Amino acid sequence: MEVLKIKNVKKSFSNDNEVLKDFSMEVNRGQVVAIIGPSGSGKSTLLRCATMLETIDSGEIIYLGEHAVKTNEEGKAVYAPPKDLKRIQSYFGLVFQNFNLFPHFTALKNVTDALITVKKMPKQEALEIGRELLDKMGLKDKEDAYPCQLSGGQQQRVSIARALALRPEILFFDEPTSALDPELTGEVLKVIKSLAAEHMTMVIVTHEMAFARDAADHVIFMDGGVIVEEGKPEEVINNPQNERTKAFLSRFDR
Amino acid sequence: MSLPMLIQRLGGGMLVSIEIYTLTLLFSLPLGLLVAFGRMSKNIILRNVMKLYISIMRGTPLMLQLMVVYFGPYFLFGIPLPRYYRFLAVIIGFVINYAAYFAEIYRGGIESIPVGQYEAAKLLGYNKTQTFMRIILPQVIKRILPAVTNEIITLIKDTSLAFVISVAEMFTAAQEIASAQASMIPFIVAGIFYYVFNYIVAFVMEYIEKKLSYYKV
């Protein structure tokens, strides 16, 4: 079954530029989808719409068979009632480009606070989960560090642990390494690859072509708010068919 | 008048000043937050009413506001004023004035928090209250502390304005003694009282600021 189904989504911003033009995609359980494309192609907007940080104008977004949003007869998007949306929201997590960690919480509290505050989990249990996840992220000795005391790569790994703590069915990454110094991207990509190896369902917007090719099992090249080309990573990245894909990829070392 | 007696009389006035000070902070700090919410509300009427209120509070002298609050009910509506209303009027005047200033400080603090903090909280399932109380407010408090310190230091000096409606706080006492004795000393002693009080306030606020410096943004 698809974890996520996006159907005919349209999204414009007030100044009348259509960012997503009738966009559709599906993500199956365990699938790792990489989305590549030039800036302004609508990648980030797509993630923001899928995670409901932005509202869509029309189309459907379906998580695990449940409609988060559908379109009525007049062609307007109608969101599910708040109670249902709240549940649907717990199906996914998002890792931000600039981490958005809570600066006044330690690494461990960043990971555990939502479990305790939102999920009402007993503190001890939450702490166990938090420590286990930080350990998995290679941050065992950093649980008491505040975000300001961590490098960008460490902060991003904390934010991945924070998203994982809530056990999402699908995890979105919005250019997870774009805000990092080049020497720090490796540690974050390694963590994401290890999640891929565990068959975590993921959608990753990225500019790291080598990573997309190695970690993803499906690559989407997006431009101008539509899918221009998609398929197996080796095919799309090593042997693109479309002229726009070719032009875009020629700028990268593959 | 001997110095101990002077200190005793001014000390009594100081207690009234501290009473005004404490009650003003007690009510104006939370009220300011509500005003800030109104000022940032999506409701255009509420937003503009709050904007006008803040504008009036900041644009007219506090002394004038105290007189309006005290004399207003009688001159505008003919309501006879009970004795205790004098002190109550001082508190009301100070609270509505300071709430306006605090509201703008809160607003500045709240608007300085990056939108990413709200988005992260939303994605993690925090509701609006949890987001504000756990994520936003603690960061706002840290950011606005220096501005709040400024205000609460000004406040103890402003309590002297209560003399315009004859509430016997310290400044009123100092003035009475000074004119009775034709002496500068009461003013100097009163000045020392204000200074020492604010020195303590600044010390406490610095301590709190240090306590909150466990993280940087």
Side-chain angles (χ1 to χ4, degrees), chain B residues 14 53 64 72 82-83 87 95 99 120 163 172 175 180 182 197-198 215:
Chain B
M14 186 73 188
Y53 156 66
L64 182 92
R83 269 196 153 190
F87 185 74
V95 166
F163 91 96
T172 316
Q175 209 184 22
F197 186 84
N198 270 336
Y215 75 92

Side-chain angles (χ1 to χ4, degrees), chain B residues 22 34 38 70 86 109 116 120 125 145 148 150 199 206 209 211 216:
Chain B
T22 313
L34 294 181
Y70 181 56
R86 204 182 282 277
L145 218 52
V148 169
N150 257 340
Y199 190 86
E206 206 183 307
E209 252 181 72
K211 274 264 161 195
K216 287 195 288 285

Side-chain angles (χ1 to χ4, degrees), chain A residues 48 51-54 86 89 92-94 96 99-105 109-110 112-115 117-118 120 146 148-149 162-163 166, chain B residues 113-128 130-131 133-139 142-143 212-217:
Chain A
R48 293 179 60 81
T51 54
M52 293 179 242
L53 291 176
E54 299 281 355
K86 189 104 196 164
Q89 207 157 39
F92 58 79
L94 171 63
F96 295 87
F99 335 131
N100 288 335
L101 288 176
F102 303 133
H104 56 308
F105 288 170
K109 196 163 184 201
N110 262 287
T112 57
D113 195 68
L115 290 176
T117 307
V118 178
K120 312 287 178 209
Y146 286 90
C148 63
Q149 299 164 321
R162 179 176 72 171
L166 294 160
Chain B
I113 304 296
V115 65
Q117 294 288 303
Y118 291 92
E119 294 184 345
K122 186 183 173 208
L123 260 298
L124 293 168
Y126 290 81
N127 64 30
K128 283 201 166 141
Q130 290 164 340
T131 302
M133 297 308 288
R134 296 194 64 80
I135 310 298
I136 306 302
L137 190 61
Q139 298 185 56
K142 178 182 160 90
R143 288 185 189 208
L212 290 179
S213 68
Y214 62 88
Y215 75 92
K216 287 195 288 285
V217 182

